Amino acid sequence: MSGSARRDLWILDARERADAGQRYREACAHLFDVTLMTPDEAFYNRMEGYNLGGVVLARCSGVPQRFHRKLSHIAADASDSIMAVLELESGGWRGDYDGRPANSQLGAIRLIDMSRPFDMVTERFETVHLVLSRAALEPQTADLDFHGCVVSEESPSGRLLGSHIRATWAGAAAMSATDLTLAGKAAAALVSAVILAHGAPASDDIRPVEKMLLASAQRFVIQNLSDPDLSPEAVRDHLGVSRSLLYKVFEPVGGVSAFIQARRLDQAFDEITSDQANQQTLAEIGYRVGFRSDAHFSRAFRARFGMTPGRLRTLGEPARREGLSAIERPDDVFDWLRGLL
């Protein structure tokens, strides 16, 4: 396959939009709390990136700010990803990564485990991020703690990863989809190499018990979405915990019932946008993901996505072309789809 790569570009500038800073905070709210260290009137942020076959490569620049990722963010995050951040320019940064202090004087590449909290402050910055699924890493990395690990580009593995990130960014615009996918696979291998070279043996309590319980419960829910008897009680029985602990574990994501319904609706969204030939009726899709009432399915779907299942099917061709899922799409589905037309 040939042709230029698709670039995503997002710029917010207070000189052009008075509410740019607020829009930025709201857009980041599901990942971390953002505190701007400069007045909103001086806010500026630029992010552009490419999809390397499931690995995201993004270049970011912005004003001084604080990023605080808490357990509530982690519990609500359905993905399981890690980040490698290459610092291009910065006035310096410092942070605490779940008990590990780190700062920009230690090196140019930092590794972040998004399943764990962190709190960091940066001066004006320009960085390149690699975001990839934990499943893309080499299996041996599972036994290592790399959260907040900072690596110098002078180290052998750091030099390889840094050079690959810089070269991929420089050439991404002219790459084909095949080239981008291969670059993504190489990036995952090099991130794994850095973790294996610089990670430390992980302790048994590296993740909070409640986070582990939530992860197990989320997997169970996702695997049993089509079961009409899936309920908070079924989840509790699977975990073998008390009702009070179950509710405490799910409190950051709005409760057990709300999580089950949201995942059912997300799966329905994916099935509607992927069913190019419309071989399934909307009622069949709703039934398969656990809804036994067409009216309930339609009301719940509209409440979550801002449109009915039928409306999404009508506008779904852009979604199929982009290959995006309910997890990846913006909250305003209609504006997103309209922007792709």
Side-chain angles (χ1 to χ4, degrees):
M1 178 177 179
S2 60
S4 298
R6 181 180 183 276
R7 180 183 68 147
D8 292 314
L9 177 64
W10 184 46
I11 300 177
L12 284 174
D13 190 334
R15 293 172 299 181
E16 299 177 359
R17 294 191 61 116
D19 64 344
Q22 182 58 31
R23 286 172 59 86
Y24 175 73
R25 284 188 289 264
E26 291 173 354
C28 295
H30 67 293
L31 292 175
F32 27 65
D33 292 340
V34 172
T35 303
L36 300 179
M37 313 302 285
T38 55
D40 275 17
E41 294 77 13
F43 175 77
Y44 175 81
N45 186 83
R46 177 188 177 97
M47 182 172 67
E48 52 185 321
Y50 300 91
N51 188 329
L52 312 181
V55 175
V56 174
L57 178 71
R59 185 164 182 159
C60 308
S61 59
V63 299
Q65 53 196 283
R66 176 190 179 192
F67 300 97
H68 189 193
R69 185 167 170 86
K70 301 179 291 189
L71 288 177
S72 57
H73 296 110
I74 296 167
D77 191 345
S79 65
D80 187 15
S81 59
I82 67 102
M83 289 200 302
V85 183
L86 173 64
E87 183 179 359
L88 300 178
E89 294 183 18
S90 172
W93 63 269
R94 65 188 185 281
D96 179 279
Y97 291 82
D98 202 8
R100 171 183 279 166
N103 60 67
S104 54
Q105 297 179 352
L106 300 175
I109 301 172
R110 64 182 180 270
L111 303 174
I112 302 171
D113 184 341
M114 294 296 281
S115 73
R116 298 172 62 187
F118 63 83
D119 189 359
M120 65 89 68
V121 176
T122 180
E123 298 299 324
R124 187 177 295 274
F125 66 92
E126 185 167 3
T127 54
V128 180
H129 292 61
L130 276 174
V131 185
L132 59 154
S133 166
R134 191 183 307 275
L137 298 175
E138 294 295 323
Q140 305 94 303
T141 61
D143 298 324
L144 297 175
D145 177 8
F146 56 86
H147 187 47
C149 185
V150 184
V151 179
S152 169
E153 282 193 273
E154 298 304 313
S155 67
S157 58
R159 186 180 303 113
L160 287 170
L161 177 57
S163 297
H164 180 70
I165 292 175
R166 294 174 188 274
T168 302
W169 180 261
M175 289 184 181
S176 67
T178 299
D179 294 332
L180 292 172
T181 298
L182 291 174
K185 290 181 178 179
L190 290 172
V191 171
S192 296
V194 170
I195 293 174
L196 292 172
H198 298 274
S203 61
D204 293 336
D205 59 352
I206 195 169
R207 299 185 187 184
V209 172
E210 290 175 17
K211 175 66 170 67
M212 295 174 66
L213 285 173
L214 180 60
S216 177
Q218 288 175 325
R219 286 193 296 271
F220 176 77
V221 168
I222 291 170
Q223 292 167 359
N224 293 274
L225 288 177
S226 62
D227 184 352
D229 295 324
L230 180 62
S231 65
E233 192 63 22
V235 178
R236 188 189 73 80
D237 288 343
H238 171 73
L239 295 178
V241 299
S242 67
R243 188 172 287 103
S244 60
L245 178 55
L246 176 69
Y247 291 156
K248 181 180 179 182
V249 165
F250 272 86
E251 185 177 358
V253 293
V256 194
S257 297
F259 180 82
I260 292 173
Q261 177 162 292
R263 296 292 77 75
R264 281 174 164 160
L265 292 169
D266 284 345
Q267 181 169 319
F269 181 106
D270 287 345
E271 292 199 18
I272 292 170
T273 55
S274 64
D275 187 15
Q276 188 168 4
N278 295 340
Q279 295 177 342
Q280 309 169 81
T281 67
L282 295 175
E284 288 172 340
I285 292 175
Y287 190 91
R288 185 163 50 256
V289 299
F291 286 90
R292 294 301 177 257
S293 163
D294 294 351
H296 180 208
F297 174 48
S298 184
R299 285 195 304 270
F301 195 96
R302 181 168 191 147
R304 180 161 177 77
F305 299 121
M307 63 171 63
T308 63
R311 181 64 168 156
L312 177 62
R313 168 161 279 175
T314 300
L315 298 174
E317 179 57 31
R320 286 190 287 273
R321 289 199 306 266
E322 290 293 308
L324 297 178
S325 71
I327 298 299
E328 297 170 309
R329 54 96 188 129
D331 288 334
D332 193 334
V333 177
F334 181 76
D335 282 349
W336 166 63
L337 286 169
R338 185 173 55 189
L340 296 177
L341 294 172

